[in-house]
Amino acid sequence: MKVVLVHMPWGSLDVPSLALGILRAAAGGADHDVRVRYANLDFVDWAVDRLPFGLADYQYFSETSYFEGAGDWVFASALYGERRDFAPFHRLLADAGASRAETAMTAALHELAPDFVAELVAELDAAAPDVVGFTSTFQQNTASLAAARLLKRRRPAVQTVLGGANCDGAQGAALHRNFPFLDFVVRGEGEVAFPSLLDALGGAAPLPGGGAAGDLADIPGLCWRDPTGAARANPMSTRPLPPARIVTPDYTGFVERLDASAAAEWVAPKLVVEGSRGCWWGEKHHCTFCGLNGSSMQFRSKSPGRFLDEVLDLARRHQLLDFIVVDNILDMAYFDSVLLRLAESEYDVRLHFEVKANLRRHHFQRLGEAGAVQVQPGVENLSTHVLRLMDKGVTGCQNVRALREAQSAGVTTSWNYLYGFPGETAEDYTDVIAQLPALHHLDPPIGAARIAIERFSPYFNQPELGFPVLEPAPQYREIYHLPAGELADLAYIFTTVAQGIGRDEAAALGAAIDRWRAEYPVSRLTYQEVDDRIVLVSRRAAYDWSVCELTSPVEVGLFRLLEQPRTAATLAARTPGGAAVVRPLLDHWSELGILFQEGGCWVHTVVESHNQVLARVDHQRAAADAAARGGEDHHAVAAG
């Protein structure tokens, strides 16, 4: 069978589709000719010929406006064959803080989107495919639906399939129910379901939805139509795919397509890989606000050797060194296997990982040595009380330590400051905000945002946690012509009565983070050990000192103790002179902005200088070499 898999706007431009790469590898072969169409890049080339359209515009729809749905609203005109009154949606964007240029571009693209879809579908139709599949994640729903609708109208014999994160659980069934031009919706992991669907379509007399009823009814999670045309939804599998069956993606043609696109002037290509699925922390403590993983939280990890081989094989095949690792959380076993071998390999790979924020210095050092240029540590907040409400399993001081240790290792951190949790108080923020100037040298959050309620999160599934009444976010009413009950099944983002801090406290937090982001490029706080003293160097607007030396053994010892979060009582018990010595130093160092205090604990905020890091690494290597030589000498004596 001839199969075309389509990656619609607003899929990321700099990376191939992991989902379609996996399906191409899983379903391609002697029986099926499977190709991938990067229609997101087609859209860029189409748009730049008609509008002053650039990377910032594309990113607004693919990323920035996700919680407002601007990307999906753009293609609603193509989905329903009519241009909408912009005024209601304009009000939603204005309330969310969209700029005049962003709203103008939204309106312009809404007018033009049907023309792009028509051109794309004409080309798809000309290729005479048997099956056309679309992947939908984030804001790809309406673009995919619009193309499927027009394609089915032009070529009734083609079988249309939709899958992806937007099709998980009730969402996929709602999409299939409400859009009859979708012959099939694949819910859940597609490595087994999609090839099984193609085999069924290729080996039986077609029904209205294609294939034989017996075959289709046996495919877990599949939504299909019976001989009467009625929508059917098979139960989803309760057994997630084992790691040995997670397919290595096939990205053939992506780099060449990007190179031929106008987007090649905007972004550098990267590759997407996965070492695991699910979340080992979420299996024990599902973060209350997190809707990731959908119906499959169970953590599964590829063997270290296989994952490493995949990364290096992809690097060789595509001549690329930049990788996005999409795992929700890094397998801790990879530190002494995958990361160690990457550090020792001849490939200068650059990787992005998501990690837990309780990592220690040696973890970040290993990440840096392995080529991790950026991590997303899930910091989310600096108040221990709020972090406990989230069920994050870390404290505010541990989060600050993570930011400090990552920067010492040369690893950039990416994170957001979240608020709006039931049970939080103004004091959870005022005390932290007062200390933020001491952190201006550490990677700031991207911004501050009130949480949205996501499908599959504990806040969604357990009303007793604080959000008893939920409604689909308002953009869904503007995008889709569907009744309220269907929107409730299709939606991923929900609104409710705001909880936690009010507007004034939220505005103060936002302003403090804006100052942090503004000061960060010119701020510095480092230390270096020189003989028996520690020299601190500061360049931060809130503090008028530039160099400070810790010279006494007590000061040096206390500073080293503060590498880890500790209570005042613990510090006093481990410091000569006890509390009478410790308390004045803690007060003085707080005035200097070299400590962060929260939840009854203290931790220092000073980043190791580059020279200090190099000296420490050299010392560790020398010690390891000496240990190795000692082992060799021992064996030689034993042999003699």
Side-chain angles (χ1 to χ4, degrees):
M1 299 183 69
K2 188 173 184 179
V3 181
V4 179
L5 303 175
V6 187
H7 193 44
M8 291 295 286
W10 301 92
S12 297
L13 300 174
D14 58 342
V15 295
S17 167
L18 175 64
L20 298 188
I22 286 174
L23 293 184
R24 182 176 191 176
D31 295 330
H32 308 299
D33 174 17
V34 183
R35 302 185 183 184
V36 174
R37 176 74 181 255
Y38 281 96
N40 58 334
L41 295 173
D42 296 338
F43 179 79
V44 167
D45 295 338
W46 184 88
V48 297
D49 286 340
R50 291 162 176 80
L51 294 167
F53 186 80
L55 176 60
D57 299 302
Y58 193 93
Q59 289 178 329
Y60 173 70
F61 297 104
S62 66
E63 300 173 19
T64 311
S65 68
Y66 172 62
F67 289 100
E68 293 76 52
D72 273 327
W73 193 83
V74 162
F75 280 94
S77 56
L79 171 58
Y80 289 104
E82 62 181 24
R83 274 72 169 179
R84 306 281 188 82
D85 176 12
F86 186 45
F89 196 75
H90 183 278
R91 287 193 289 271
L92 290 179
L93 295 183
D95 290 343
S99 69
R100 183 175 299 178
E102 289 164 345
T103 55
M105 183 61 73
T106 303
L109 290 176
H110 182 79
E111 291 291 320
L112 293 174
D115 298 335
F116 167 74
V117 172
E119 290 187 21
L120 172 67
V121 167
E123 294 180 13
L124 292 173
D125 182 28
D130 300 299
V131 176
V132 176
F134 299 87
T135 182
S136 182
T137 300
F138 298 125
Q139 297 198 73
Q140 288 182 295
N141 249 12
T142 56
S144 298
L145 291 170
R149 167 183 169 271
L150 186 57
L151 180 63
K152 193 68 177 177
R153 177 178 295 179
R154 289 185 58 132
R155 192 177 189 83
V158 73
Q159 302 299 315
T160 56
V161 188
L162 184 70
N166 287 337
C167 299
D168 203 357
Q171 295 174 277
L175 287 165
H176 187 252
R177 264 195 322 270
N178 288 285
F179 298 102
F181 50 79
L182 291 177
D183 293 311
F184 305 98
V185 171
V186 176
R187 302 184 297 163
E189 297 170 300
E191 284 97 329
V192 176
F194 187 65
S196 298
L197 172 61
L198 295 184
D199 291 342
L201 293 176
L207 296 172
D215 295 332
L216 300 177
D218 293 336
I219 300 174
L222 183 69
C223 298
W224 53 289
R225 302 184 195 281
D226 67 17
T228 70
R232 304 293 185 188
N234 298 341
M236 295 182 66
S237 175
T238 58
R239 303 177 66 179
L241 200 66
R245 300 187 66 184
I246 298 176
V247 178
T248 302
D250 180 353
Y251 293 140
T252 302
F254 165 72
V255 175
E256 293 77 11
R257 177 63 189 93
L258 177 57
D259 285 345
S261 170
E265 298 295 322
W266 303 349
V267 297
K270 306 175 185 67
L271 297 177
V272 184
V273 291
E274 59 176 347
S276 66
R277 291 181 185 172
C279 179
W280 54 259
W281 175 255
E283 282 189 274
K284 306 171 186 176
H285 301 274
H286 191 170
C287 298
T288 54
F289 64 94
C290 179
L292 297 178
N293 298 296
S295 56
S296 184
M297 179 66 75
Q298 184 176 326
F299 185 72
R300 297 145 284 154
S301 180
K302 295 176 182 176
S303 69
R306 181 190 165 195
F307 177 64
L308 181 68
D309 288 344
E310 284 186 16
V311 171
L312 298 184
D313 286 347
L314 286 168
R316 284 189 291 264
R317 186 178 311 150
H318 298 284
Q319 296 295 292
L320 290 177
L321 295 172
D322 290 284
F323 289 86
I324 306 295
V325 184
V326 297
D327 303 15
N328 290 153
I329 191 167
L330 181 61
D331 186 344
M332 295 299 290
Y334 278 13
F335 278 94
D336 292 326
S337 54
V338 173
L339 298 183
L340 181 61
R341 289 181 59 189
L342 280 174
E344 296 171 346
S345 78
E346 61 184 6
Y347 290 89
D348 186 20
V349 294
R350 295 177 291 273
L351 303 126
H352 173 281
F353 288 104
E354 293 189 34
V355 300
K356 191 163 171 55
N358 63 353
L359 298 184
R360 299 297 188 95
R361 172 178 294 182
H362 65 281
H363 293 121
F364 285 108
Q365 182 179 330
R366 180 62 53 80
L367 283 164
E369 292 169 348
V373 294
Q374 186 180 70
V375 297
Q376 186 174 329
V379 168
E380 264 96 46
N381 204 288
L382 299 180
S383 162
T384 298
H385 178 232
V386 178
L387 291 164
R388 286 174 179 161
L389 295 174
M390 299 184 200
D391 209 0
K392 289 292 291 184
V394 291
T395 67
C397 283
Q398 285 177 316
N399 279 343
V400 169
R401 180 188 65 188
L403 297 174
R404 184 197 73 200
E405 299 291 30
Q407 190 168 118
S408 294
V411 178
T412 300
T413 53
S414 174
W415 62 291
N416 290 290
Y417 209 115
L418 302 181
Y419 62 88
F421 297 90
E424 69 183 16
T425 66
E427 288 72 24
D428 293 323
Y429 293 86
T430 53
D431 292 347
V432 170
I433 289 172
Q435 297 183 80
L436 291 188
L439 308 181
H440 282 179
H441 59 291
L442 300 177
D443 285 323
I446 295 170
R450 184 175 293 277
I451 59 167
I453 309 304
E454 300 178 351
R455 184 182 294 276
F456 306 115
S457 70
Y459 280 147
F460 178 83
N461 291 322
Q462 302 174 50
E464 66 274 14
L465 293 180
F467 296 103
V469 180
L470 298 175
E471 294 183 357
Q475 65 264 25
Y476 292 104
R477 295 192 300 272
E478 300 298 328
I479 294 168
Y480 298 100
H481 292 167
L482 294 175
E486 295 298 330
L487 287 179
D489 281 346
L490 180 147
Y492 181 76
I493 304 167
F494 293 80
T495 58
T496 185
V497 176
Q499 298 288 333
I501 59 174
R503 291 186 178 182
D504 291 345
E505 292 88 352
L509 176 65
I513 288 174
D514 287 343
R515 287 193 296 273
W516 187 352
R517 292 178 59 80
E519 293 290 340
Y520 169 70
V522 295
S523 297
R524 174 189 179 191
L525 179 61
T526 61
Y527 80 90
Q528 183 167 352
E529 295 188 20
V530 181
D531 298 327
D532 56 354
R533 68 188 192 279
I534 293 176
V535 180
L536 287 68
V537 177
S538 173
R539 185 176 63 203
R540 294 167 297 164
Y543 302 95
D544 60 3
W545 63 274
S546 57
V547 178
C548 176
E549 293 192 12
L550 310 182
T551 57
S552 74
V554 169
E555 290 178 321
V556 171
L558 182 60
F559 183 81
R560 289 173 176 163
L561 283 172
L562 286 162
E563 288 179 356
Q564 308 303 329
R566 302 189 194 276
T567 64
T570 298
L571 294 169
R574 298 189 182 186
T575 302
V581 172
V582 168
R583 192 72 228 186
L585 283 175
L586 293 179
D587 292 341
H588 177 55
W589 289 354
S590 295
E591 293 173 359
L592 297 179
I594 65 174
L595 298 182
F596 180 80
Q597 187 273 328
E598 201 280 325
C601 290
W602 305 74
V603 68
H604 85 66
T605 64
V606 194
V607 175
E608 281 188 280
S609 71
H610 182 63
N611 289 336
Q612 177 74 20
V613 173
L614 291 177
R616 177 168 50 79
V617 170
D618 287 343
H619 176 75
Q620 291 172 345
R621 288 174 178 168
D625 290 343
R629 287 195 300 272
E632 292 169 359
D633 292 343
H634 171 76
H635 289 303
V637 170

